[in-house]
Amino acid sequence: NPFVGCGHACRFCYVPDVSTIKLQHHLARHGVEDPDVQWGQYAFLRPFDEKKFMASLRKAEATPHHELNADGHRAVMLSTTTDAWQMLRHPDPERQRELNVQARQTVRRMLELIRDRSTLSVRILTRSPLVSRDFDLLASFGDRLLLGSSIPTLNNELARVYEPKAPAPTLRL
């Protein structure tokens, strides 16, 4: 996951309950006092370390077959605790632009490394129509990639109740 946190603020999200506990001290350094209560108000770009990322890919490739899930596929899952295509926010518009450029470059680099230096498949679930900017790269995976967009309702007004800061469902379609 390229980010810590998520700006979509989905009311039904499981992540604050299971992962923010581990990150509470790290988030406190960024002004997040209560990660659960403040869920949806923060998303920080993680520093990308290509060597560590490649080591994790090699480790995944080396997982013995008997330790894999029943489908037997080795897959990297993007957006399990955040949305890799969300817009990062910052009070300084120039810094916000820089962060979003860096975020897109990071996600694209991660995908390129998976595609070019591993046999792993990729599973992506996003709420953001921004993923369409990367269709060229995603298409280059062929059958090694599954892309989904979560759409809990087609009613934009109702969606604002459940996912107050996520892009409207009609935009995801």
Side-chain angles (χ1 to χ4, degrees):
N1 289 297
F3 310 120
V4 174
C6 183
H8 293 332
C10 301
R11 306 258 187 249
F12 50 84
C13 186
Y14 68 91
V15 175
D17 292 333
V18 297
S19 73
T20 57
I21 294 167
K22 296 177 183 176
L23 300 171
Q24 195 161 9
H25 296 295
H26 172 74
L27 291 169
R29 287 181 270 162
H30 294 284
V32 179
E33 295 174 17
D34 188 331
D36 293 332
V37 171
Q38 292 174 265
W39 186 252
Q41 297 175 26
Y42 62 91
F44 303 109
L45 181 62
R46 291 178 189 250
F48 182 64
D49 183 325
E50 191 167 311
K51 288 181 183 180
K52 285 183 181 179
F53 185 77
M54 288 305 302
S56 71
L57 289 181
R58 286 190 294 277
K59 182 178 178 184
E61 292 263 6
T63 303
H65 188 76
H66 69 276
E67 292 180 19
L68 298 175
N69 290 337
D71 68 6
H73 291 151
R74 299 172 195 280
V76 174
M77 297 181 69
L78 273 179
S79 303
T80 57
T81 64
T82 189
D83 191 327
W85 283 271
Q86 68 183 297
M87 290 298 295
L88 299 177
R89 290 169 178 73
H90 193 278
D92 176 3
E94 181 58 27
R95 181 66 182 136
Q96 179 172 308
R97 189 193 68 73
E98 291 169 1
L99 286 169
N100 282 294
V101 167
Q102 186 179 0
R104 181 164 187 227
Q105 290 170 344
T106 297
V107 171
R108 285 188 67 91
R109 183 63 181 151
M110 290 167 61
L111 288 165
E112 290 165 351
L113 290 168
I114 296 166
R115 181 196 62 198
D116 298 342
R117 299 192 191 168
S118 81
T119 62
L120 299 170
S121 296
V122 177
R123 309 283 188 264
I124 298 169
L125 186 60
T126 182
R127 284 181 158 66
S128 178
L130 293 176
V131 71
S132 64
R133 298 184 308 183
D134 294 320
F135 279 173
D136 62 322
L137 177 58
L138 300 178
S140 70
F141 277 85
D143 63 359
R144 289 177 51 202
L145 185 132
L146 289 176
L147 170 64
S149 184
S150 179
I151 304 175
T153 178
L154 293 176
N155 181 318
N156 288 345
E157 297 294 321
L158 184 57
R160 275 193 286 254
V161 172
Y162 294 115
E163 319 168 302
K165 297 180 184 177
T170 53
L171 294 175
R172 293 178 230 169
L173 285 174

